[in-house]
Amino acid sequence: RPARLRAGIGRATTALPRCYLPKVSRLPHPADPLRRSDHPQIPPTRLEIRPKLPAYPYFDYRFYKRLQSDSSTLFQIAGKWELILPLERGGAVDRVYPHAVTDNFFADLGVAPLLGRELQKGDEGEAVLSYSYWERGFGRDPRVVGQTVRLKGRPFQIVGVMPQRFTGTVVDSAPDLWIPYSNITQFSASQNPNLDNYGIEIIARVRRGVSRAQAEQETAALWTRYMEDDAIAHPANHQGRINGRLEARSISLGISPMRDQSGTALALLLAGTGLLMLMVCANIGGLMLARVAARERETAVRLAVGATRARIVREWLAESTLITLAGGAAGILVAYASAPLLIRWLPPVRGLGNDPAELRPWSLDLHPDLTVIAFSIGICALAAALSAIAPALRAARHDLSLALKTAISDRRHQRFQSVLCAIQVALCTVVLIFAGLMGRTLSKLRSLNPGFDSDRVAIFALDAHVRGYDGPQTWAFQQRLLEGARNLPGVDAAAIASRALMRGIGLGSSVVFPGRRGDGIINTSMNFVTPGYFETMGIRFLAGRELEEGDREEGQVTGVVVNQAFAHKFFEDQNPLGREFATGKEFLKPAFRIVGVVNDTKYRSLREIPPPIFYQYNLGPKQFPDTFILHVRTHGDPRAIMGPVRTLVQSIDPAMPLYQVATVAEEVDRSLWQERTLAVLGATFGVFGAALSGVGIYGILAHFVAGRRREIGLRMALGAPRARVIWLVSKRVAAPVCGGIIAGALIAAAAGTWVRSLLYGVEPIDPRSSGIMLILLFATAIAAAATPALRALRVDPASTLRQE
């Protein structure tokens, strides 16, 4: 909704969010923000500037203050940080996702609250609810302003509720509430009161007359200078840290993980929709040409008795417009009814909040609004004009004397019909070829061996700090949970890990070995697991041993297990067992010792080449409580164990929530949502396109047979064989069909590089899938031509001779 989004803020912003996964925001509703006329000095462009630092994906608060004081290209600089906290209200505990924002956050975005007021300078212990959480948690109670809730045991007074369409800086997912940034010190493990030790994501506005490149250049210079100064002042914070560059991009439409991650796929779907629309226009145009020919004498009579050619054109345009607008209205109703289904079809938003493994629901409202409806009606009107203008002009240019003297149709429009048929077939060929590529890509990915057992494992995500557990309490809970899960009937093994697989994200680290110097850039993945994880996930040991209790003891070299990719990358053909390494840029002392090697597995997605991974037993009573994933391997269907595990958790702590429950097979299938969507919609588009082509071919041949019925009868009366009659009819569309297929194949080949990033294990020019699709198209053309050809064979020669 570009118009709405551009009207949402009406000013330029520059965002400096963390770059782990782009954080996005929906801009305010047009009725809520300040008007542009109130701030004429603000230019109409927005930028986002993000650090390219995968190991350090946010800015220091110290840099935020430096930017406020030293930047000459940015102004009204604000910031935010995301949290996951327990919210207590009326004895119930809810897991919520607050954003801690600076006091100028709402004023800089120019949004007014729906109820109450926004956060202001000097606020401490106040909170503003998002509309979605106000609706979900408070039933849209207008008396919510003034109520008190407790976040991790600390009281916060609700002072306002934001409008429905405002989600901060995130388009795809909304926070539950906003709190003052200064309050984040209360939720830190160390509870350090100095904000300088915390991270922040920054938004800002660009001054008038300043380009994006200038703002990016100055901010990058300030960032480099800050890193140099801070490395001297705080050397401990900079060990292994990367002084990366910044990039700026416009966020006038907000930031969207879906748009960033699936922009090419969405563009391909939009292109497929456009091709289908063109096919519909060509199809209707061809059928209307046939109607023009059938009504040739009627039109000639009307012209002869005084009807103007403009009136004839208007009649045909009105008929086409009524048809297309009726179809468009029905389509809008279907789209409105299907919007909730589409939201449920989308996978959860991944990687939001402090937990990068977090799965969040979408906050998008996909119901067609006035903008979408107006756009759809405009497209329908354009389609009506495209499909009717040629037939209407053809009807108005009839030769009156020829049309009144003879019943033989003017065949000049047949050439135009052939062109429309060729266009339909070409577009259908493109759609079918791409549908075949998407289908083969999905098939290839589903047939991959991920390196672990995805069929018999269930996962359960828990968050101990929602219950206020400290390290020893969390460890005790984990130990009881593991023991209880392993003793459940039907369970083969159970283990705990910090990250689940196939969620598009994971943990990374920079490792360095004795005698080598690193650059601090992430060069391996990692995961924190308990003993038994490899048995639970069906990962095979190739050498060495399993992790043991002694491998988590502090003050000594920690035993770790690595995969084949890790061993090959860093040791090539040498034996990795017993080798030691550390993390960071320099090897100062050994921190890890390799005690085992396991087979390679996929980590973030099925598309990735198995990355080098080391597995560390880094869970224990001295570790800070965090979210963790219980993995349970069963004899049979893993869904059968979900109920008993829920009961087990409640028996240990009735208030402990299980906020994510799934099977690993479901996680793998969910990771393929983009490929599955493209394959399903591609197949749907292909079938629909083939049906349109078939209707077009049938219409052309049916009109051809009807117009040359007497000629066919005479030929048959004079002894023409049936095969000759069939060829006479079939050659009418043979050239358009063959020409369209060739043109469509060439177009698909030329556009293949555009979709290469969406393919896996398949080349853009794939003879197998393309051949299957072309055979399908030929079969459609033959089926469409069969009925008119058989109708031509049923012409009665005797009847034709009597008429002559």
Side-chain angles (χ1 to χ4, degrees):
R1 305 167 184 170
R4 169 175 298 172
L5 292 171
R6 278 194 287 269
I9 292 183
R11 3 180 144 182
T13 57
T14 299
L16 299 172
R18 65 184 193 177
C19 72
Y20 212 178
L21 278 179
K23 287 303 183 184
V24 194
S25 61
R26 171 172 298 174
L27 305 181
H29 188 270
D32 300 322
L34 304 174
R35 299 181 181 276
R36 180 176 297 176
S37 58
D38 299 332
H39 298 271
Q41 78 280 9
I42 299 176
T45 55
R46 304 176 187 85
L47 300 178
E48 175 200 17
I49 300 177
R50 11 187 316 203
K52 281 198 167 183
L53 304 174
Y56 200 77
Y58 51 84
F59 291 100
D60 297 338
Y61 187 78
R62 291 188 295 269
F63 176 69
Y64 167 74
K65 295 193 297 185
R66 174 78 65 91
L67 199 63
Q68 282 187 316
S69 61
D70 295 355
S71 177
S72 61
T73 60
L74 306 176
F75 72 109
Q76 291 186 342
I77 302 172
K80 70 180 181 69
W81 186 245
E82 302 185 9
L83 302 165
I84 303 175
L85 297 173
L87 182 146
E88 303 171 34
R89 183 173 62 90
V93 179
D94 192 11
R95 195 168 184 264
V96 297
Y97 306 90
H99 283 190
V101 298
T102 55
D103 50 37
N104 59 341
F105 181 82
F106 295 105
D108 286 355
L109 290 181
V111 61
L114 180 67
L115 298 176
R117 65 172 178 85
E118 71 272 16
L119 296 176
Q120 298 172 352
K121 188 174 182 179
D123 278 351
E124 290 284 345
E126 284 78 16
V128 173
L129 300 180
S130 67
Y131 185 93
S132 60
Y133 190 67
W134 177 52
E135 183 178 44
R136 184 176 71 251
F138 295 85
R140 292 194 295 184
D141 183 2
R143 298 169 298 179
V144 70
V145 175
Q147 294 185 20
T148 299
V149 296
R150 303 184 71 85
L151 292 175
K152 204 174 181 181
R154 292 164 177 80
F156 281 79
Q157 184 182 33
I158 299 172
V159 297
V161 177
M162 301 310 290
Q164 183 174 7
R165 293 185 178 92
F166 177 76
T167 58
T169 53
V170 182
V171 170
D172 297 343
S173 184
D176 292 321
L177 63 158
W178 292 268
I179 62 174
Y181 182 80
S182 57
N183 285 124
I184 66 172
T185 59
Q186 303 174 15
F187 307 118
S188 169
S190 60
Q191 295 190 7
N192 191 324
N194 186 359
L195 286 174
D196 289 350
N197 296 290
Y198 295 88
I200 192 170
E201 302 171 26
I202 305 171
I203 63 172
R205 305 193 188 284
V206 182
R207 295 189 183 277
R208 173 174 287 279
V210 176
S211 67
R212 182 179 69 177
Q214 290 172 323
E216 179 180 18
Q217 184 177 7
E218 187 207 45
T219 307
L222 291 174
W223 171 247
T224 302
R225 195 181 314 137
Y226 163 77
M227 291 290 286
E228 294 171 351
D229 297 343
D230 200 62
I232 298 174
H234 306 88
N237 295 340
H238 286 259
Q239 183 177 359
R241 187 170 172 181
I242 316 162
N243 186 3
R245 70 180 184 87
L246 301 174
E247 63 174 354
R249 62 176 182 174
S250 172
I251 58 167
S252 59
L253 301 182
I255 315 166
S256 167
M258 170 175 279
R259 187 171 61 229
D260 292 339
Q261 299 167 14
S262 307
T264 303
L266 294 174
L268 181 61
L269 291 179
L270 183 61
T273 305
L275 290 179
L276 284 182
M277 196 69 180
L278 290 175
M279 291 181 64
V280 169
C281 293
N283 195 290
I284 295 176
L287 295 177
M288 290 188 70
L289 276 175
R291 292 196 64 194
V292 167
R295 296 171 60 181
E296 216 169 40
R297 293 177 60 84
E298 174 195 337
T299 303
V301 170
R302 295 179 62 189
L303 289 170
V305 297
T308 63
R309 297 182 184 272
R311 185 180 181 88
I312 299 297
V313 170
R314 287 199 304 269
E315 177 188 351
W316 285 97
L317 288 176
E319 183 176 339
S320 175
T321 301
L322 287 175
I323 294 173
T324 53
L325 289 181
I332 290 173
L333 292 177
V334 172
Y336 194 90
S338 325
L341 300 177
L342 182 57
I343 284 291
R344 287 197 288 270
W345 194 7
L346 295 175
V349 183
R350 299 174 183 272
L352 300 178
N354 282 342
D355 181 7
E358 186 69 27
L359 302 181
R360 297 281 307 280
W362 294 90
S363 63
L364 296 175
D365 181 8
L366 297 183
H367 288 92
D369 59 3
L370 291 179
T371 304
V372 175
I373 292 173
F375 175 79
S376 302
I377 293 175
I379 290 295
C380 288
L382 179 62
L386 287 176
S387 58
I389 190 67
L393 294 176
R394 176 71 63 182
R397 288 201 300 265
H398 276 311
D399 185 338
L400 299 184
S401 61
L402 179 63
L404 293 173
K405 288 179 181 179
T406 179
I408 299 176
S409 172
D410 179 7
R411 298 177 183 176
R412 289 177 297 175
H413 73 282
Q414 293 181 2
R415 291 191 295 271
F416 194 69
Q417 275 189 316
S418 298
V419 171
L420 291 178
C421 179
I423 291 174
Q424 288 184 68
V425 173
L427 296 177
C428 182
T429 301
V430 174
V431 172
L432 285 173
I433 287 177
F434 285 150
L437 293 175
M438 294 302 110
R440 285 210 66 198
T441 294
L442 179 63
S443 176
K444 290 270 187 181
L445 288 171
R446 281 180 168 170
S447 64
L448 285 177
N449 178 14
F452 54 83
D453 185 1
S454 62
D455 295 329
R456 295 192 291 146
V457 181
I459 57 175
F460 307 83
L462 301 98
D463 189 353
H465 89 272
V466 167
R467 298 288 295 123
Y469 284 2
D470 58 14
Q473 289 173 318
T474 301
W475 179 243
F477 176 84
Q478 290 174 341
Q479 293 298 98
R480 291 184 62 188
L481 181 63
L482 278 176
E483 181 180 0
R486 289 166 178 165
N487 292 329
L488 288 175
V491 172
D492 289 338
I496 287 174
S498 291
R499 293 292 180 264
L501 303 179
M502 298 294 106
R503 292 193 173 176
I505 44 82
L507 298 174
S509 182
S510 173
V511 300
V512 63
F513 298 87
R516 309 180 194 176
R517 179 176 175 80
D519 50 15
I521 297 177
I522 289 179
N523 54 13
T524 184
S525 298
M526 61 184 299
N527 203 351
F528 300 138
V529 302
T530 61
Y533 175 78
F534 306 103
E535 178 188 0
T536 303
M537 294 300 297
I539 301 174
R540 296 178 294 107
F541 267 88
L542 305 179
R545 62 170 176 83
E546 168 72 275
L547 295 174
E548 299 174 349
E549 285 295 324
D551 292 325
R552 65 177 178 84
E553 296 295 331
E554 295 186 0
Q556 65 180 26
V557 179
T558 302
V560 297
V561 172
V562 303
N563 67 346
Q564 288 175 285
F566 186 101
H568 179 73
K569 178 176 181 178
F570 297 111
F571 305 107
E572 295 182 353
D573 298 330
Q574 302 177 25
N575 183 8
L577 294 180
R579 307 295 286 268
E580 296 178 341
F581 63 91
T583 57
K585 291 184 178 180
E586 297 185 43
F587 184 89
L588 302 178
K589 63 177 182 178
F592 306 100
R593 179 182 296 114
I594 299 174
V595 300
V597 180
V598 295
N599 67 270
D600 289 337
T601 64
K602 306 286 186 178
Y603 188 11
R604 295 166 179 84
S605 73
L606 289 175
R607 285 178 172 269
E608 70 176 351
I609 298 173
I613 309 174
F614 73 91
Y615 303 89
Q616 180 184 355
Y617 186 13
N618 194 33
L619 302 172
K622 295 184 179 181
Q623 300 301 320
F624 180 69
D626 199 356
T627 57
F628 58 91
I629 315 292
L630 172 67
H631 295 67
V632 179
R633 182 183 180 89
T634 64
H635 298 329
D637 186 358
R639 295 181 185 84
I641 204 63
M642 291 179 177
V645 171
R646 288 182 186 274
T647 303
L648 172 64
V649 172
Q650 291 175 356
S651 68
I652 301 174
D653 184 348
M656 176 67 72
L658 277 170
Y659 64 94
Q660 293 168 27
V661 179
T663 66
V664 175
E666 290 171 345
E667 291 289 297
V668 173
D669 186 67
R670 189 182 289 125
S671 72
L672 296 175
W673 78 270
Q674 176 176 287
E675 291 80 5
R676 185 171 58 255
T677 300
L678 289 175
V680 171
L681 291 182
T684 303
F685 287 1
V687 171
F688 188 48
L692 285 174
S693 297
V695 169
I697 293 170
Y698 172 84
I700 290 175
L701 288 182
H703 175 256
F704 177 79
V705 171
R708 303 183 67 173
R709 185 180 183 87
R710 286 176 294 172
E711 176 188 343
I712 294 172
L714 288 174
R715 288 175 177 269
M716 295 181 67
L718 295 174
R722 290 178 175 269
R724 184 67 176 267
V725 173
I726 292 176
W727 171 242
L728 174 68
V729 175
S730 301
K731 73 177 183 179
R732 176 72 180 81
V733 293
V737 168
C738 294
I741 289 176
I742 294 173
L746 293 176
I747 294 172
T753 54
W754 182 50
V755 299
R756 184 181 292 274
S757 62
L758 301 174
L759 305 179
Y760 182 88
V762 182
E763 289 298 320
I765 303 177
D766 181 55
R768 180 179 175 182
S769 60
S770 300
I772 293 174
M773 294 299 105
L774 294 183
I775 291 173
L776 174 62
L777 186 55
F778 271 117
T780 302
I782 292 172
T787 300
L790 293 175
R791 188 177 299 160
L793 293 178
R794 290 197 295 268
V795 173
D796 184 5
S799 176
T800 303
L801 288 175
R802 283 195 298 269
Q803 292 177 10
E804 290 299 316

